[in-house]
Amino acid sequence: MQIPKTHPRYESLMKREKIVEALDKGILAKAGLIAHGRGETFDYLIGEETTPIALEAIKAAAALLVLAENPVISVNGNTVALAIDEVVELAKELNGKIEVNLFYRTKERELAIKNVFKEKFKDDIEKGKIKILGIDDANKQIPNLDSLRGKVSEEGIYTADVVLVPLEDGDRAEALVNMGKKVIAIDLNPLSRTARKSTITIVDELTRALPLLIKYVRDFKNKDREELLKIVENFDNKKNLKKMIDYIADRLKKLELNEL
Ligand code: ATP
Ligand code: MG
């Protein structure tokens, strides 16, 4: 479908197109459509822009990623469908590790995702700038998760100190935190279990948050460790989520009064 650029919901419709295309290509599970819809709803409530509250979380996440010894970016079908370029760009600023981790893991979908990376980023993979983990090497198990969802790569999530998990499931976020890892989630729903269980939750839309995260990671590489540690220590995830919920509530009240 051709969507005119002038359409007031152009950005949102384009994302839907990408999601549907990913379903057709076997990258996305059907349930991924529903997850996207839930995200859209919360984005509507937030006002479809990065809030100053989310920006605080983005800065804390960037500081944590720069301080990390072995960070890994975990990707699922939705993330690949919407933001594969940004994921690769961010991985290249870090140690290059990307791990495929699917809620509905099937060999077909794993391979479909691996192929997209291979087609688009052949050069980066061959030169070792990025590594796609979690498909041929997912032979470790996250404790207290059922076997398929808990399969991870030893070189990747299993030994990572910081895991960035855009659109994670609550159970897995919790299991990763219980393993002693720092978990950064990007999730539009400030009420989700993922949002509550993660170390740092960025309540923002994936494709808006990632470019900002990349910008701050680049920026923060020039700062000293002490300064970055302070940024991380001063961040309180519970407080940030509470501010986000207040933000939505205030916005709804203003809408009710026609102030927006
Ligand atoms: P939880 O298990 O954490 O309680 P959930 O079961 O409500 O979460 P899931 O279906 O596991 O939700 O995952 C979908 C989550 O991803 C939703 O919270 C949704 O808001 C979020 N989401 C979907 N699309 C995006 C997007 N493009 N950017 C950011 N978040 C998104
Ligand atoms: Mg869930």
Side-chain angles (χ1 to χ4, degrees):
M1 185 180 77
Q2 272 289 12
I3 302 164
K5 277 208 156 125
T6 49
H7 193 290
R9 306 211 49 71
Y10 177 77
E11 294 285 331
S12 168
L13 291 173
M14 283 305 289
K15 269 177 236 160
R16 281 193 181 179
E17 283 291 292
K18 283 188 182 172
I19 287 284
V20 170
E21 200 183 303
L23 182 80
D24 291 341
K25 280 196 192 157
I27 293 167
L28 198 78
K30 281 183 192 151
L33 299 176
I34 300 169
H36 184 76
R38 179 173 278 157
E40 282 185 339
T41 312
F42 278 97
D43 209 16
Y44 219 100
L45 297 178
I46 286 162
E48 296 176 306
E49 59 184 15
T50 304
T51 63
I53 305 157
L55 197 60
E56 266 180 58
I58 289 171
K59 287 182 191 169
L64 191 60
L65 284 170
V66 172
L67 287 169
E69 269 167 33
N70 188 16
V72 175
I73 307 174
S74 171
V75 297
N76 66 0
N78 292 62
T79 308
V80 171
L82 294 175
I84 192 169
D85 294 342
E86 292 84 349
V87 164
V88 169
E89 202 178 330
L90 179 60
K92 279 159 67 177
E93 290 296 329
L94 305 169
N95 56 4
K97 289 186 187 178
I98 297 168
E99 178 156 346
V100 178
N101 206 286
L102 308 177
F103 190 86
Y104 299 98
R105 197 185 263 273
T106 65
K107 201 74 223 158
E108 290 75 33
R109 197 151 40 250
E110 281 180 342
L111 290 176
I113 290 180
K114 192 172 183 179
N115 282 337
V116 187
F117 278 106
K118 268 192 179 160
E119 274 165 27
K120 271 199 103 168
F121 301 100
K122 190 165 175 274
D123 221 41
D124 289 330
I125 294 172
E126 277 172 5
K127 289 190 178 136
K129 288 188 182 163
I130 58 166
K131 254 189 179 173
I132 310 302
L133 302 162
I135 293 174
D136 315 307
D137 62 339
N139 40 29
K140 285 281 175 182
Q141 184 70 29
I142 303 174
N144 302 318
L145 261 195
D146 57 85
S147 60
L148 272 186
R149 284 197 301 142
K151 270 171 64 169
V152 283
S153 151
E154 174 152 29
E155 198 189 332
I157 290 174
Y158 195 73
T159 52
D161 54 348
V162 176
V163 190
L164 170 66
V165 281
L167 321 194
E168 181 53 287
D169 176 63
D171 280 4
R172 243 175 53 103
E174 186 173 17
L176 291 172
V177 168
N178 287 343
M179 281 177 89
K181 300 183 189 306
K182 302 235 161 67
V183 174
I184 302 167
I186 303 175
D187 189 337
L188 277 159
N189 178 2
L191 302 165
S192 74
R193 291 190 63 240
T194 302
R196 286 160 184 269
K197 296 292 173 187
S198 298
T199 318
I200 297 175
T201 308
I202 301 167
V203 183
D204 197 13
E205 205 279 322
L206 186 64
T207 62
R208 285 197 307 266
L210 281 177
L212 290 166
L213 196 54
I214 294 165
K215 171 182 176 293
Y216 282 102
V217 163
R218 283 192 182 127
D219 219 34
F220 286 0
K221 283 185 184 174
N222 304 314
K223 288 196 192 291
D224 51 61
R225 286 183 66 86
E226 288 304 309
E227 209 175 328
L228 296 178
L229 276 170
K230 267 212 185 97
I231 296 173
V232 174
E233 278 164 16
N234 287 337
F235 182 81
D236 182 326
N237 204 46
K238 285 225 163 73
K239 272 195 194 148
N240 192 269
L241 288 175
K242 197 175 165 331
K243 279 197 254 176
M244 215 46 236
I245 294 165
D246 286 345
Y247 182 93
I248 293 174
D250 286 346
R251 197 168 172 272
L252 290 180
K253 275 185 211 139
K254 282 186 188 154
L255 281 173
E256 193 183 31
L257 299 168
N258 283 327
E259 284 175 21
L260 287 179

